Amino acid sequence: MLLHAQREAELEAARAIKARRISDCITRLNNHFYRSWEAVMSFKQNWERNHRIDLSFRKEFGPIKENYKELIELTDDQKAVQGNITASMNQVDEADRIVAEAARDVEAGKIEEVLATHPAKMARLKQIFRTCMSHEITIFAQHEKDVADSSHARQAELRHQIGIYAILAVLFSILFSAAIAAFVVKRITSRIGIVNDNAFRLGADQPLHPPMKGNDEIAQLDNMFHRMAEEIQETARMKEDMVNMLTHDLRTPLTSIQGCFTMLDEGMLGTLNDRGESMIKLADRNSLRMMNLINDLLDVQKIKSGMMTIEAEDVELSTVFKEVRLNFEDWMKEHDLKMEVEETDLTVKADQEKLSRVLYNLVGNAFKFSPKGATIKMSAKQVGAVAHVSVVDQGRGIPKEAQRTIFERFQQVKNDGESKGGSGLGLAICQMIVELHGGKIWVESEPGKGSTFTFTLPISGRIT
């Protein structure tokens, strides 16, 4: 009985779906008719304004005829309705012939004849479109009335029957569902857990679980994930190979070029005039800048691939501060800048060469973005078991929105729409080196009030 009621309900639902398809078909027909009528109405105005005949609306007749064919199929059990559809189709054929005749006249260059007969043809097209749309409304109303009259009472009866039978079916389905729920849930959750674990493994650069077997959605998702992981790994390998190739192929000739510049600058290849010496110094600075960029790219690649190691030892921060200050002595004199170094007796556990590089990058940025006469400060203080090392400048500051991305590769802060040059890798390298030491780095800044870059290193002990 339940199956019979369900079949009856399915029939009623099919009739409702059929009514919806007819409604949608009629809506599409009306849209095509309206667009065609708008084009017909603007036919003469387009010629008067632009001297252009636009008959592109002819393409609407194809979809109109297709929709009529669909209506005939949907109303095959209603001969009276099909009579209206046939009458409308004949009207559309006439409209198509009128437009086709106008198109042939336009192609033959009979523009004046087309414009002369335009009022009469437009009146006929208007009558055809109104007639067709009236027929469509009649079809829709008649069909909807038939569905409503024939199915309302029957659907109420079927709902009552299905309600009774459903109660019995629910009781049985509860028992059956309880029997298979544990198995299904366990199987699904375990398979989803494998996909989730694969995501973590991919992020940690660990081998993935073997691909799942089967054609279900989870297996398809897992197989797609494996293909994506392979593509990501292949892209990473290609990227690494390309960086290695470019840096090696650029580094070798640059070394030779820098050697030539050094020989020219020292007069080993003859005496240069003032302009020649100036050009040599400019070329030497730019080649050095390119060499630094190549070295930065190599360092980033080494860190990302795990090839850069930290040789930690006890390092006196005061010694590193003095070395950094000494490296910037000429720069400070040339650009009228000052540096203050606070005395400290802290000793940290770090790789001295890489620590110097971090400070060199931070101080170099501070000088680069500070105005003449500004003072750069280096300091360190102990906070718990770590040392906070800070570099403070008097530059224009960093906007808050830029502070979130400033440590990413190839990111630079622009002042007045201009950057200060550089590769955009310095701060990224600083962050990577600090993190290799187990520390962290951050910036505190407000526009117009300078910036403070701070990073942490593990304390080794105090100098006594």
Side-chain angles (χ1 to χ4, degrees), residues 35-85:
R35 285 196 292 268
S36 299
W37 177 242
E38 288 176 356
V40 170
M41 291 293 292
S42 61
F43 178 86
K44 190 172 182 180
Q45 290 86 340
N46 284 338
W47 172 256
E48 292 174 349
R49 294 175 183 172
N50 306 320
H51 290 284
R52 186 174 64 87
I53 298 296
D54 185 7
L55 296 175
S56 61
F57 63 90
R58 287 189 64 194
K59 63 185 181 182
E60 301 289 344
F61 288 104
I64 288 174
K65 293 178 181 180
E66 292 297 325
N67 279 281
Y68 271 123
K69 291 179 181 179
E70 184 178 352
L71 275 177
I72 290 176
E73 294 176 359
L74 292 172
T75 58
D76 57 352
D77 57 344
Q78 301 184 49
K79 300 302 181 184
V81 174
Q82 285 194 339
N84 288 334
I85 297 174

Side-chain angles (χ1 to χ4, degrees), residues 74-265:
L74 292 172
T75 58
D76 57 352
D77 57 344
Q78 301 184 49
K79 300 302 181 184
V81 174
Q82 285 194 339
N84 288 334
I85 297 174
T86 303
S88 294
M89 287 183 66
N90 293 334
Q91 297 283 333
V92 171
D93 290 337
E94 182 182 351
D96 194 10
R97 287 194 297 271
I98 292 173
V99 176
E101 180 182 349
R104 287 193 298 271
D105 291 340
V106 169
E107 292 173 356
K110 301 176 182 180
I111 304 300
E112 295 298 331
E113 183 177 339
V114 173
L115 295 175
T117 60
H118 175 260
K121 291 181 178 179
M122 186 177 73
R124 178 56 183 154
L125 288 174
K126 181 177 181 181
Q127 182 181 2
I128 290 173
F129 289 156
R130 284 182 175 176
T131 301
C132 290
M133 287 188 282
S134 176
H135 284 160
E136 307 312 297
I137 294 172
T138 301
I139 294 168
F140 176 72
Q142 182 177 349
H143 195 274
E144 287 298 311
K145 184 175 182 301
D146 291 343
V147 172
D149 291 343
S150 63
S151 65
H152 180 71
R154 182 60 178 162
Q155 286 181 1
E157 181 184 352
L158 290 172
R159 284 195 297 270
H160 178 70
Q161 292 179 4
I162 292 174
I164 295 174
Y165 299 143
I167 293 175
L168 299 176
V170 166
L171 294 176
F172 174 77
S173 65
I174 289 176
L175 297 176
F176 181 74
S177 298
I180 65 172
F183 171 77
V184 172
V185 170
K186 181 179 180 180
R187 178 174 174 80
I188 292 177
T189 53
S190 63
R191 288 161 70 84
I192 292 176
I194 292 174
V195 176
N196 186 53
D197 188 52
N198 277 337
F200 284 105
R201 286 171 174 260
L202 178 62
D205 197 22
Q206 297 177 356
L208 304 183
H209 293 288
M212 295 182 188
K213 297 181 180 179
N215 295 321
D216 58 277
E217 290 82 356
I218 298 178
Q220 293 175 3
L221 175 63
D222 182 67
N223 291 327
M224 186 180 298
F225 188 88
H226 276 78
R227 289 194 296 271
M228 180 190 71
E230 291 174 0
E231 292 176 0
I232 291 174
Q233 292 170 353
E234 179 62 23
T235 301
R237 284 193 294 269
M238 293 174 61
K239 178 182 175 183
E240 182 178 351
D241 291 343
M242 180 176 291
V243 170
N244 291 336
M245 179 187 67
L246 288 175
T247 51
H248 178 270
D249 290 347
L250 288 174
R251 198 173 189 178
T252 301
L254 268 178
T255 302
S256 300
I257 292 172
Q258 285 184 316
C260 292
F261 288 153
T262 301
M263 294 172 66
L264 287 169
D265 187 45

Side-chain angles (χ1 to χ4, degrees), residues 283-309:
D284 187 49
R285 284 197 299 270
N286 281 284
S287 65
L288 180 60
R289 180 181 176 185
M290 183 170 289
M291 182 64 77
N292 289 335
L293 172 59
I294 293 172
N295 290 333
D296 287 344
L297 286 170
L298 283 173
D299 286 343
V300 169
Q301 196 62 31
K302 285 181 181 178
I303 295 173
K304 288 181 66 65
S305 61
M307 296 175 62
M308 180 175 285
T309 58

